[in-house]
């Protein structure tokens, strides 16, 4: 089960790096708009990957006898995972905007939400991965 969990992490990481590069180009104005279909496909791939990681993580937790529930590092990792789930919902609502207008044409509040959502995503993925790989 651990192999599936780690393989999924690598797969999702690759999708996220690709998506983040596209988003960065969009924010810089190097890519005027993003393909709605492609971004939805990437978003679904990340949702599926995150779901598989949650399921395999739960199986690993049961296999380990739940002792991790008292580990502060594990609990922090779960905070990061919760942030990813909530943030993925926010990203889903912002996707259509990136395919309709350039970043510069969007209202400041929407641009701020996009940038904040990207920062939360990057921080939470990195935090959960580092904790999982090096502290658990």
């Amino acid at each position: 089960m651990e192999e599936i969990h780690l393989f999924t992490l690598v797969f999702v990481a690759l999708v996220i790096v690709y998506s983040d590069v596209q988003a960065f180009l969009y924010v810089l104005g190097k890519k005027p708009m993003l393909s709605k279909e492609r971004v939805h496909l990437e978003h679904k791939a990340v949702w599926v990957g995150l779901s598989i990681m949650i399921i395999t993580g739960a199986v690993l937790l049961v296999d380990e006898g739940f002792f991790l529930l008292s580990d502060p590092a594990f609990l922090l990792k779960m905070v990061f995972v919760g942030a990813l789930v909530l943030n993925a919902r926010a990203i889903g609502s912002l996707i259509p905007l990136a395919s309709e207008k350039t970043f510069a044409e969007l209202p400041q509040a929407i641009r701020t939400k996009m940038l904040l959502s990207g920062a939360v995503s990057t921080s939470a993925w990195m935090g959960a991965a580092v904790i999982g790989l090096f502290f658990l």
Side-chain angles (χ1 to χ4, degrees), residues 28-47:
L28 292 177
K30 305 276 185 197
K31 191 166 192 133
M33 285 181 263
L34 301 176
S35 163
K36 187 175 185 177
E37 295 79 20
R38 180 168 287 237
V39 175
H40 273 295
L41 179 63
E42 295 161 10
H43 191 64
K44 284 181 186 177
V46 172
W47 261 117

mmCIF file of all heavy atoms in Angstrom, residues 28-47:
data_model
loop_
_atom_site.group_PDB
_atom_site.id
_atom_site.type_symbol
_atom_site.label_atom_id
_atom_site.label_comp_id
_atom_site.label_asym_id
_atom_site.label_seq_id
_atom_site.Cartn_x
_atom_site.Cartn_y
_atom_site.Cartn_z
ATOM 1 N N LEU A 28 2.081 35.891 -15.229
ATOM 2 C CA LEU A 28 3.069 36.805 -15.825
ATOM 3 C C LEU A 28 2.601 37.408 -17.143
ATOM 4 O O LEU A 28 3.244 38.319 -17.664
ATOM 5 C CB LEU A 28 4.396 36.076 -16.062
ATOM 6 C CG LEU A 28 5.164 35.660 -14.820
ATOM 7 C CD1 LEU A 28 6.406 34.879 -15.220
ATOM 8 C CD2 LEU A 28 5.531 36.866 -13.978
ATOM 9 N N GLY A 29 1.494 36.899 -17.691
ATOM 10 C CA GLY A 29 1.001 37.399 -18.962
ATOM 11 C C GLY A 29 1.659 36.737 -20.160
ATOM 12 O O GLY A 29 1.400 37.122 -21.303
ATOM 13 N N LYS A 30 2.499 35.747 -19.924
ATOM 14 C CA LYS A 30 3.175 35.033 -21.019
ATOM 15 C C LYS A 30 2.211 34.071 -21.714
ATOM 16 O O LYS A 30 2.438 33.667 -22.840
ATOM 17 C CB LYS A 30 4.378 34.243 -20.497
ATOM 18 C CG LYS A 30 5.371 35.060 -19.728
ATOM 19 C CD LYS A 30 6.328 35.726 -20.648
ATOM 20 C CE LYS A 30 7.391 36.445 -19.812
ATOM 21 N NZ LYS A 30 8.106 37.408 -20.592
ATOM 22 N N LYS A 31 1.180 33.692 -21.018
ATOM 23 C CA LYS A 31 0.138 32.830 -21.554
ATOM 24 C C LYS A 31 -1.175 33.564 -21.276
ATOM 25 O O LYS A 31 -1.608 33.625 -20.123
ATOM 26 C CB LYS A 31 0.184 31.466 -20.859
ATOM 27 C CG LYS A 31 -0.661 30.443 -21.496
ATOM 28 C CD LYS A 31 -0.298 29.063 -20.961
ATOM 29 C CE LYS A 31 -0.966 28.057 -21.842
ATOM 30 N NZ LYS A 31 -0.093 26.999 -22.238
ATOM 31 N N PRO A 32 -1.773 34.164 -22.308
ATOM 32 C CA PRO A 32 -2.938 35.034 -22.070
ATOM 33 C C PRO A 32 -4.084 34.355 -21.318
ATOM 34 O O PRO A 32 -4.628 34.927 -20.385
ATOM 35 C CB PRO A 32 -3.382 35.449 -23.467
ATOM 36 C CG PRO A 32 -2.254 35.129 -24.370
ATOM 37 C CD PRO A 32 -1.426 34.071 -23.714
ATOM 38 N N MET A 33 -4.446 33.163 -21.750
ATOM 39 C CA MET A 33 -5.514 32.425 -21.072
ATOM 40 C C MET A 33 -5.159 30.948 -21.057
ATOM 41 O O MET A 33 -4.356 30.488 -21.866
ATOM 42 C CB MET A 33 -6.848 32.661 -21.764
ATOM 43 C CG MET A 33 -7.431 34.038 -21.464
ATOM 44 S SD MET A 33 -9.003 34.304 -22.248
ATOM 45 C CE MET A 33 -8.499 35.186 -23.707
ATOM 46 N N LEU A 34 -5.773 30.240 -20.135
ATOM 47 C CA LEU A 34 -5.531 28.807 -20.015
ATOM 48 C C LEU A 34 -6.690 28.038 -20.648
ATOM 49 O O LEU A 34 -7.830 28.512 -20.646
ATOM 50 C CB LEU A 34 -5.381 28.417 -18.547
ATOM 51 C CG LEU A 34 -4.251 29.107 -17.786
ATOM 52 C CD1 LEU A 34 -4.276 28.715 -16.316
ATOM 53 C CD2 LEU A 34 -2.898 28.796 -18.411
ATOM 54 N N SER A 35 -6.392 26.859 -21.149
ATOM 55 C CA SER A 35 -7.425 26.004 -21.719
ATOM 56 C C SER A 35 -8.304 25.459 -20.596
ATOM 57 O O SER A 35 -7.820 24.768 -19.696
ATOM 58 C CB SER A 35 -6.769 24.842 -22.477
ATOM 59 O OG SER A 35 -7.711 23.808 -22.694
ATOM 60 N N LYS A 36 -9.583 25.781 -20.683
ATOM 61 C CA LYS A 36 -10.519 25.344 -19.649
ATOM 62 C C LYS A 36 -10.543 23.816 -19.545
ATOM 63 O O LYS A 36 -10.521 23.263 -18.450
ATOM 64 C CB LYS A 36 -11.916 25.868 -19.969
ATOM 65 C CG LYS A 36 -12.950 25.638 -18.902
ATOM 66 C CD LYS A 36 -14.256 26.304 -19.295
ATOM 67 C CE LYS A 36 -15.274 26.202 -18.209
ATOM 68 N NZ LYS A 36 -16.509 26.918 -18.563
ATOM 69 N N GLU A 37 -10.548 23.140 -20.681
ATOM 70 C CA GLU A 37 -10.592 21.685 -20.690
ATOM 71 C C GLU A 37 -9.333 21.089 -20.060
ATOM 72 O O GLU A 37 -9.397 20.150 -19.276
ATOM 73 C CB GLU A 37 -10.763 21.158 -22.127
ATOM 74 C CG GLU A 37 -12.088 21.527 -22.763
ATOM 75 C CD GLU A 37 -12.143 22.973 -23.282
ATOM 76 O OE1 GLU A 37 -11.069 23.581 -23.496
ATOM 77 O OE2 GLU A 37 -13.262 23.480 -23.454
ATOM 78 N N ARG A 38 -8.177 21.633 -20.431
ATOM 79 C CA ARG A 38 -6.915 21.099 -19.905
ATOM 80 C C ARG A 38 -6.818 21.332 -18.391
ATOM 81 O O ARG A 38 -6.413 20.446 -17.646
ATOM 82 C CB ARG A 38 -5.729 21.738 -20.603
ATOM 83 C CG ARG A 38 -4.411 21.203 -20.065
ATOM 84 C CD ARG A 38 -3.292 21.611 -20.942
ATOM 85 N NE ARG A 38 -3.380 20.821 -22.150
ATOM 86 C CZ ARG A 38 -2.411 20.044 -22.597
ATOM 87 N NH1 ARG A 38 -1.287 19.973 -21.939
ATOM 88 N NH2 ARG A 38 -2.551 19.356 -23.689
ATOM 89 N N VAL A 39 -7.182 22.524 -17.957
ATOM 90 C CA VAL A 39 -7.100 22.827 -16.525
ATOM 91 C C VAL A 39 -8.073 21.950 -15.742
ATOM 92 O O VAL A 39 -7.746 21.460 -14.660
ATOM 93 C CB VAL A 39 -7.323 24.327 -16.254
ATOM 94 C CG1 VAL A 39 -7.351 24.616 -14.772
ATOM 95 C CG2 VAL A 39 -6.247 25.153 -16.940
ATOM 96 N N HIS A 40 -9.275 21.728 -16.292
ATOM 97 C CA HIS A 40 -10.228 20.829 -15.621
ATOM 98 C C HIS A 40 -9.661 19.414 -15.544
ATOM 99 O O HIS A 40 -9.804 18.747 -14.512
ATOM 100 C CB HIS A 40 -11.577 20.809 -16.349
ATOM 101 C CG HIS A 40 -12.508 21.879 -15.910
ATOM 102 N ND1 HIS A 40 -13.027 21.954 -14.635
ATOM 103 C CD2 HIS A 40 -13.021 22.933 -16.575
ATOM 104 C CE1 HIS A 40 -13.812 23.002 -14.526
ATOM 105 N NE2 HIS A 40 -13.821 23.623 -15.690
ATOM 106 N N LEU A 41 -9.011 18.952 -16.610
ATOM 107 C CA LEU A 41 -8.409 17.623 -16.606
ATOM 108 C C LEU A 41 -7.306 17.534 -15.551
ATOM 109 O O LEU A 41 -7.239 16.558 -14.783
ATOM 110 C CB LEU A 41 -7.843 17.303 -17.993
ATOM 111 C CG LEU A 41 -7.168 15.942 -18.139
ATOM 112 C CD1 LEU A 41 -8.157 14.809 -17.898
ATOM 113 C CD2 LEU A 41 -6.541 15.826 -19.524
ATOM 114 N N GLU A 42 -6.455 18.538 -15.476
ATOM 115 C CA GLU A 42 -5.395 18.563 -14.463
ATOM 116 C C GLU A 42 -5.990 18.582 -13.060
ATOM 117 O O GLU A 42 -5.517 17.881 -12.162
ATOM 118 C CB GLU A 42 -4.495 19.787 -14.669
ATOM 119 C CG GLU A 42 -3.713 19.763 -15.965
ATOM 120 C CD GLU A 42 -3.196 21.130 -16.374
ATOM 121 O OE1 GLU A 42 -3.272 22.086 -15.567
ATOM 122 O OE2 GLU A 42 -2.715 21.259 -17.515
ATOM 123 N N HIS A 43 -7.027 19.393 -12.886
ATOM 124 C CA HIS A 43 -7.675 19.501 -11.576
ATOM 125 C C HIS A 43 -8.278 18.151 -11.169
ATOM 126 O O HIS A 43 -8.145 17.723 -10.009
ATOM 127 C CB HIS A 43 -8.739 20.593 -11.632
ATOM 128 C CG HIS A 43 -9.303 20.976 -10.305
ATOM 129 N ND1 HIS A 43 -8.551 21.545 -9.306
ATOM 130 C CD2 HIS A 43 -10.555 20.869 -9.816
ATOM 131 C CE1 HIS A 43 -9.313 21.779 -8.248
ATOM 132 N NE2 HIS A 43 -10.529 21.366 -8.529
ATOM 133 N N LYS A 44 -8.920 17.472 -12.115
ATOM 134 C CA LYS A 44 -9.488 16.153 -11.817
ATOM 135 C C LYS A 44 -8.386 15.158 -11.476
ATOM 136 O O LYS A 44 -8.541 14.333 -10.570
ATOM 137 C CB LYS A 44 -10.317 15.644 -12.996
ATOM 138 C CG LYS A 44 -11.655 16.311 -13.121
ATOM 139 C CD LYS A 44 -12.438 15.764 -14.291
ATOM 140 C CE LYS A 44 -13.722 16.557 -14.472
ATOM 141 N NZ LYS A 44 -14.474 16.105 -15.642
ATOM 142 N N ALA A 45 -7.273 15.216 -12.203
ATOM 143 C CA ALA A 45 -6.157 14.302 -11.932
ATOM 144 C C ALA A 45 -5.628 14.514 -10.515
ATOM 145 O O ALA A 45 -5.335 13.548 -9.799
ATOM 146 C CB ALA A 45 -5.041 14.506 -12.957
ATOM 147 N N VAL A 46 -5.538 15.770 -10.102
ATOM 148 C CA VAL A 46 -5.066 16.057 -8.744
ATOM 149 C C VAL A 46 -6.092 15.573 -7.717
ATOM 150 O O VAL A 46 -5.723 14.992 -6.694
ATOM 151 C CB VAL A 46 -4.745 17.562 -8.565
ATOM 152 C CG1 VAL A 46 -4.454 17.895 -7.105
ATOM 153 C CG2 VAL A 46 -3.565 17.953 -9.447
ATOM 154 N N TRP A 47 -7.391 15.789 -7.978
ATOM 155 C CA TRP A 47 -8.436 15.310 -7.063
ATOM 156 C C TRP A 47 -8.372 13.793 -6.918
ATOM 157 O O TRP A 47 -8.460 13.254 -5.804
ATOM 158 C CB TRP A 47 -9.831 15.698 -7.561
ATOM 159 C CG TRP A 47 -10.410 16.897 -6.918
ATOM 160 C CD1 TRP A 47 -10.734 18.072 -7.527
ATOM 161 C CD2 TRP A 47 -10.784 17.074 -5.543
ATOM 162 N NE1 TRP A 47 -11.261 18.946 -6.618
ATOM 163 C CE2 TRP A 47 -11.310 18.374 -5.400
ATOM 164 C CE3 TRP A 47 -10.705 16.263 -4.413
ATOM 165 C CZ2 TRP A 47 -11.762 18.873 -4.182
ATOM 166 C CZ3 TRP A 47 -11.158 16.760 -3.198
ATOM 167 C CH2 TRP A 47 -11.678 18.043 -3.093
#
